[in-house]
Amino acid sequence: MKNIAVIGGQWGDEGKGKIVDYIAKNIDVVVRSQGGANAGHTVIVNDKKYIFHLIPSGIIHENVKAIIGNGMVLDLPELMDEIRILNKNGIKTAGRLFISNRAHITLPFHKYVDQQSEKISGKKKIGTTGRGIGPTYMDKIARVGIRVADLYDKNVLKEKLEAGVGKANELYGRLYGAIPFSYYEIAGDLAAYADMIKPYTADTVFLINKFVKNGLSFLLEGAQATLLDVDFGTYPYVTSSNSSIGGLFTGSGFNPFLLDKTIGIFKAYCTRVGEGPFPTEQNGDTGEFLRQKGYEFGATTGRPRRCGFFDLVGAKYSCMINGFSDIALTKLDVLSGLESVSVCTGYEIEDKRIDEFPSQISILAKAKPIYKIFEGWNDNIRDIKQFDALPVQAKKYIKYIEDKLKTNISLIATGPERQNLIER
Ligand code: GDP
Ligand code: IMO
Ligand code: MG
């Protein structure tokens, strides 16, 4: 299998970083195509923990080329921090990291309005990461965004930045009483960052296709997840990009017909950070057990993640949209120690059984999960390397999910470290 995509099947934080790290060892090029520093992908190697926000997680492998695609939105200070951390740890970025000249730049007023609008929306807030993602994509869609290439065109940059700062000061001053943003300060910072990232910038659309022609293999690393997709997710409690399969192509210029395998990443249970409906959420002891045992705290914001049982209705929907050829089931070890483990097989909404994931959150919010209950297991499974060696109850649980999703669960993660993985 040459070209592989890895996509979150639930509400994010499924363990994409860990699976990307595992697959990337046999891959030439890893590409991120959407989202920005809202993502937090964790890779743990020899007790060293890396959290990637913008740079593709596969960069840890020294032969991998890493590409930040055209569909991403870039927080430049964050990007430089990540580059510095990698370099400090002996991971070279020169000649291996490429940044699309079409990617959009997140500016200080994007972050400001993201945080401020959340603050004043009270109960109606989305629970964003506050990284300016939505406002940066708003400017992109409104065709006023600043792209990486613009940083090197004085006149275009001046015109766009003056307009952007002017609008921000006018609007946010009135709405939120914002202290005026300084064009000169932002322009000065951008000029400094433009110099720093210059060696990495490229027309990655052509670069990717040149690499394809030269026979290199690809791993498309999804960020966020299908139920957070702006079109397919629990709108408006979603992110502002297409975080299911389509976004991987529009955000990179990689030819969709060259993809050989699409792996859906699912946690063995379910989590969500931020607001929005979550039918299988557990607010009592079970939720707390999963949060503590699974260390369910956001890799980007540190917020506690909401925890609950595996939801087959959402998972089936996710499989349908992405056409997963395989599934990686992660964090199975976290379930060890529960007396019983439940799987949601359908929803009851206003006395009717529903098997299709609702398009409206007002309906989803009324969903009562119908559960199938499995006997739990107690064993520590972290070092198990063979599927057959898993506790019989765990095997039953996995086979049931596999059967219902009609998709092979070919990878099972049993701990956060690189080596905690079962290949089937
Ligand atoms: P991503 O955004 O999908 O890459 O996932 P995150 O990195 O945000 O969150 C996943 C968390 O679970 C990280 O802390 C990982 O180190 C951890 N993790 C990944 N796989 C496993 C696993 O199989 N078991 C356990 N216990 N932790 C895991
Ligand atoms: P990874 O790639 C989990 C969530 C936020 C919020 C909503 C909108 O690590 O899986 P945004 O800042 O994007 O406008 O926030 O989306 N969210 C994530 N949740 N994992 C992520 O990324 C997320 N990126 C955004 O919590 O509910
Ligand atoms: Mg994450």
Side-chain angles (χ1 to χ4, degrees):
M1 288 292 172
K2 221 170 150 196
N3 301 319
I4 301 173
V6 160
I7 297 170
Q10 295 157 321
W11 278 292
D13 304 326
E14 297 89 349
K16 296 178 288 294
K18 177 178 158 124
I19 301 299
V20 165
D21 171 61
Y22 172 73
I23 295 170
K25 65 178 195 282
N26 299 317
I27 289 283
D28 300 312
V29 188
V30 182
V31 187
R32 273 272 312 267
S33 305
Q34 38 70 232
N38 49 348
H41 296 180
T42 313
V43 180
I44 303 176
V45 188
N46 302 331
D47 289 337
K48 176 94 201 137
K49 184 172 179 173
Y50 297 90
I51 299 177
F52 294 95
H53 301 287
L54 291 163
I55 296 178
S57 313
I59 199 159
I60 291 193
H61 298 279
E62 60 181 349
N63 296 322
V64 160
K65 298 180 203 311
I67 298 183
I68 289 179
N70 54 278
M72 288 190 70
V73 291
L74 302 182
D75 179 330
L76 296 178
E78 175 63 46
L79 178 61
M80 284 317 301
D81 273 353
E82 261 182 80
I83 292 176
R84 269 186 224 112
I85 292 172
L86 287 174
N87 293 163
K88 208 178 87 195
N89 284 286
I91 298 168
K92 293 202 180 88
T93 45
R96 310 173 50 209
L97 174 67
F98 303 93
I99 301 169
S100 173
N101 58 6
R102 290 177 170 89
H104 280 249
I105 311 282
T106 295
L107 296 167
F109 48 82
H110 292 132
K111 285 202 256 189
Y112 172 83
V113 67
D114 186 6
Q115 292 162 14
Q116 208 59 30
S117 67
E118 286 279 285
K119 228 185 250 169
I120 63 150
S121 357
K123 276 194 175 156
K124 287 219 166 108
K125 69 172 188 199
I126 305 287
T128 73
T129 59
R131 297 296 194 267
I133 306 298
T136 312
Y137 278 119
M138 275 166 71
D139 277 355
K140 171 178 175 173
I141 301 304
R143 296 157 296 183
V144 296
I146 294 177
R147 309 206 292 179
V148 169
D150 298 336
L151 298 176
Y152 308 102
D153 185 327
K154 257 191 189 157
N155 294 335
V156 170
L157 182 63
K158 184 165 185 285
E159 197 179 309
K160 284 189 170 182
L161 189 61
E162 269 175 359
V165 171
K167 188 180 81 180
N169 284 340
E170 171 75 24
L171 223 57
Y172 310 148
R174 221 173 332 131
L175 282 173
Y176 311 119
I179 299 164
F181 292 94
S182 152
Y183 165 84
Y184 292 103
E185 203 176 301
I186 299 175
D189 287 349
L190 283 183
Y193 284 113
D195 284 345
M196 290 184 234
I197 64 165
K198 183 94 200 281
Y200 299 107
T201 61
D203 186 333
T204 54
V205 175
F206 281 96
L207 189 70
I208 284 172
N209 284 285
K210 196 176 85 188
F211 288 154
V212 167
K213 223 175 174 178
N214 292 344
L216 302 194
S217 57
F218 280 75
L219 173 55
L220 308 183
E221 175 177 350
Q224 289 80 53
T226 307
L227 302 183
L228 286 173
D229 183 290
V230 68
D231 280 276
F232 301 117
T234 46
Y235 191 90
Y237 297 99
V238 292
T239 191
S240 300
S241 69
N242 284 117
S243 40
S244 56
I245 190 150
L248 298 187
F249 304 122
T250 54
S252 66
F254 183 86
N255 177 343
F257 299 103
L258 299 178
L259 197 65
D260 298 299
K261 200 170 177 174
T262 310
I263 306 179
I265 318 293
F266 290 87
K267 254 178 220 184
Y269 47 99
C270 210
T271 66
R272 154 159 230 179
V273 218
E275 306 304 313
F278 179 1
T280 62
E281 181 168 17
Q282 297 297 303
N283 288 313
D285 292 349
T286 308
E288 198 48 37
F289 175 92
L290 295 171
R291 185 156 36 252
Q292 295 306 329
K293 183 127 190 258
Y295 191 66
E296 295 297 355
F297 297 91
T300 296
T301 58
R303 289 178 292 176
R305 295 176 183 145
R306 300 156 65 193
C307 299
F309 290 124
F310 194 91
D311 184 346
L312 275 172
V313 185
K316 275 184 198 164
Y317 175 66
S318 207
C319 288
M320 178 180 82
I321 289 165
N322 298 294
F324 293 137
S325 56
D326 291 76
I327 285 173
L329 193 72
T330 60
K331 306 192 88 159
L332 185 70
D333 55 305
V334 175
L335 297 180
S336 297
L338 282 176
E339 213 162 282
S340 65
V341 186
S342 302
V343 176
C344 166
T345 60
Y347 298 148
E348 192 190 298
I349 301 175
E350 287 171 346
D351 296 329
K352 271 204 210 104
R353 187 189 164 107
I354 303 284
D355 293 298
E356 288 183 1
F357 196 71
S359 57
Q360 286 159 272
I361 52 154
S362 55
I363 297 176
L364 185 63
K366 291 184 198 155
K368 290 192 199 114
I370 302 164
Y371 285 120
K372 180 172 170 66
I373 301 172
F374 290 81
E375 193 188 330
W377 58 91
N378 266 316
D379 325 42
N380 176 352
I381 61 166
R382 281 210 175 173
D383 296 320
I384 291 180
K385 288 282 169 287
Q386 301 292 329
F387 179 75
D388 284 340
L390 284 171
V392 78
Q393 302 91 327
K395 282 190 280 193
K396 251 193 193 165
Y397 179 72
I398 294 168
K399 282 184 174 160
Y400 179 78
I401 293 176
E402 185 168 54
D403 183 49
K404 292 294 170 196
L405 296 180
K406 299 188 175 65
T407 312
N408 291 331
I409 298 182
S410 54
L411 289 171
I412 299 162
T414 55
E417 303 270 342
R418 192 181 253 178
Q419 70 275 12
N420 304 137
L421 200 70
I422 297 173
E423 211 179 338
R424 246 171 117 205

